[in-house]
Amino acid sequence: MAFHPPKPVPPGLWRRTPPAIFPSILGLFGLGLAWRRGSMLLDWPPVIGEIVLGSVTGLLAFAMLAYGVKLARRPAVISEDLAILPGRAGLSAQCLSVYLASAALWPYAPSLAWGLLYLGLGWHALVAAVMIVSFLRGPAEQRRVTPVWHLSFVGFIVAAMAAQPMQLAELAEAIFILTFFLALVIWGISLEQFRRETVPAPLRPLLAIHLSPAALFGLVAAGFDLQSLAMGFAGLAAAIVILMVIRVRWLTAAGFTPFWGAFTFPLAATASLWLTLGGIWSVPGVIALAAASAIIPLIAWRVLRLWARGQLATVTNAAIA
C-alpha cells in the first residue's frame, strides 16, 4: 500500500480550528446554568454561576471567531468536518452552546439573547441539513446511528429550554414534541445496536450523551409545570447516571481523549434538572453539581490545552480550510 503523507496546513491563522473544542464549552455553559439554578433553590450566592457564565460566553465568542475564520476561508470545509464523528459532535455542540449563551444573557440583555436564540436555530438547521446531505452522499457506515445524533437532531430541545423564559411557549412546545419522538427513535435504535454490537473503547464516552435528552426533557417539562412528567425524566436520568457510575471503568477504558467532552454537558444538565425539581431531588442535585464542578473544568482544561498546543486538530482529524 502506498504511503500518503498528511496534508500540510497552509500558512494562515485558524485554518484548522477543531470543532472538538465545543463539547467542553457546552459543558461549561451547563455548569454555569446549574450553579444559577442551584443558587435560586438553595439560597447560594448567585455570583458563582454568573462568573462561570460570563467567562464561558467570552470563551465561546473566541472559539466561534476561530471557527468562523476557518469557515470564511473555505465554506465547504464544514462538509468535511461533518463527515467525521468528532466534527459532527463538535459542530452540534457549537449550536447548542449558542442556545445556552442566549439563556445566560437573557437576564442582562433580552434583545441580544432573543437574537442569539434565533441565530442559533438557523445555524443548527443549516448544520443538520448539511449533515443529512453528507449522510446521503457518504458511505453506508457513516449513516450508523450514534449518540451524537442526540446532539445533532434532538439537541433542538436546548432551544426550547432557552425559549421558555422568553415567553416563546408555542415554539418551545413544538420543539419539545418533535424532539421527544426523535429521541425515542434514537434511543431505541441505539439499544438494539448495543445489544448486537460491542462499542469500541475509544467511542464509549459518547454513550454518556444518552443522558442529555432525559435531563433536558425534564427541564422543559418542569418549565411547562408538568411536574409528574419532569419527575419521570428525573428518574430516567438517575437510572442512566447509576448505570454510568457502575460502568465508569468500562466507559473510560481507552484513557483520556477529546471524546471525554461528552461527559460534561449531560452531567451538568442532570444537576440542573434535579436542583430545579428540589424536594427529594435536592440532595442528588447537590451531589451532581459538586461532581460536575470537579469533573467538567478538568476535562475542559485538558481539551483546551490540547487546542492551545495545536494537538487537538491532529488527534480529532479536523478538516483544513
Side-chain angles (χ1 to χ4, degrees):
M1 181 182 294
F3 172 73
H4 298 284
K7 181 181 177 181
V9 180
L13 187 64
W14 296 327
R15 283 188 175 273
R16 205 181 184 188
T17 302
I21 59 179
F22 290 105
S24 295
I25 293 175
L26 178 65
L28 289 169
F29 263 121
L31 179 62
L33 290 172
W35 271 100
R36 177 184 282 180
R37 291 177 183 272
S39 68
M40 291 187 292
L41 173 69
L42 302 170
D43 198 26
W44 293 346
V47 66
I48 299 175
E50 303 313 308
I51 289 174
V52 173
L53 290 171
S55 302
V56 182
T57 300
L59 177 60
L60 174 65
F62 178 74
M64 292 289 285
L65 173 64
Y67 194 80
V69 169
K70 172 181 173 177
L71 197 60
R73 291 183 184 277
R74 189 168 65 87
V77 78
I78 188 174
S79 297
E80 297 172 20
D81 274 330
L82 288 172
I84 57 174
L85 193 57
R88 291 197 291 274
L91 286 173
S92 298
Q94 179 195 66
C95 300
L96 274 55
S97 296
V98 175
Y99 299 144
L100 293 190
S102 72
L105 290 169
W106 174 250
Y108 305 101
S111 297
L112 177 59
W114 187 90
L116 271 179
L117 174 64
Y118 280 98
L119 182 65
L121 281 168
W123 177 243
H124 195 171
L126 176 63
V127 169
V130 174
M131 190 178 306
I132 291 170
V133 171
S134 176
F135 287 162
L136 295 176
R137 293 179 176 176
E141 56 268 21
Q142 186 174 301
R143 295 190 289 273
R144 185 179 184 276
V145 174
T146 71
V148 173
W149 282 40
H150 281 304
L151 296 177
S152 305
F153 304 115
V154 182
F156 286 96
I157 189 63
V158 180
M161 185 182 69
Q164 285 179 320
M166 301 180 189
Q167 307 301 315
L168 299 171
E170 292 182 357
L171 174 64
E173 184 178 356
I175 293 174
F176 180 86
I177 294 171
L178 176 61
T179 54
F180 177 70
F181 286 107
L182 287 174
L184 289 178
V185 171
I186 294 171
W187 271 329
I189 295 174
S190 297
L191 280 172
E192 176 61 20
Q193 288 180 168
F194 188 75
R195 185 185 67 83
R196 292 186 287 105
E197 305 169 10
T198 301
V199 180
L203 300 182
R204 290 172 192 169
L206 294 176
L207 294 173
I209 297 173
H210 286 300
L211 174 61
S212 292
L216 292 167
F217 287 130
L219 284 166
V220 176
F224 283 128
D225 203 26
L226 301 173
Q227 291 301 312
S228 296
L229 186 59
M231 285 286 187
F233 282 120
L236 175 60
I240 297 173
V241 168
I242 291 170
L243 181 61
M244 287 173 56
V245 171
I246 293 172
R247 301 299 303 274
V248 67
R249 293 186 65 180
W250 181 80
L251 287 170
T252 59
F256 179 80
T257 72
F259 278 143
W260 279 37
F263 290 125
T264 60
F265 181 64
L267 179 56
T270 301
S272 283
L273 172 59
W274 292 344
L275 289 169
T276 298
L277 293 177
I280 61 171
W281 296 106
S282 295
V283 173
V286 171
I287 294 172
L289 180 58
S293 299
I295 294 170
I296 293 174
L298 179 60
I299 293 175
W301 168 252
R302 296 187 68 174
V303 171
L304 291 171
R305 186 173 59 178
L306 287 174
W307 183 30
R309 292 177 175 177
Q311 299 170 330
L312 187 60
T314 302
V315 298
T316 59
N317 197 27
I320 301 170

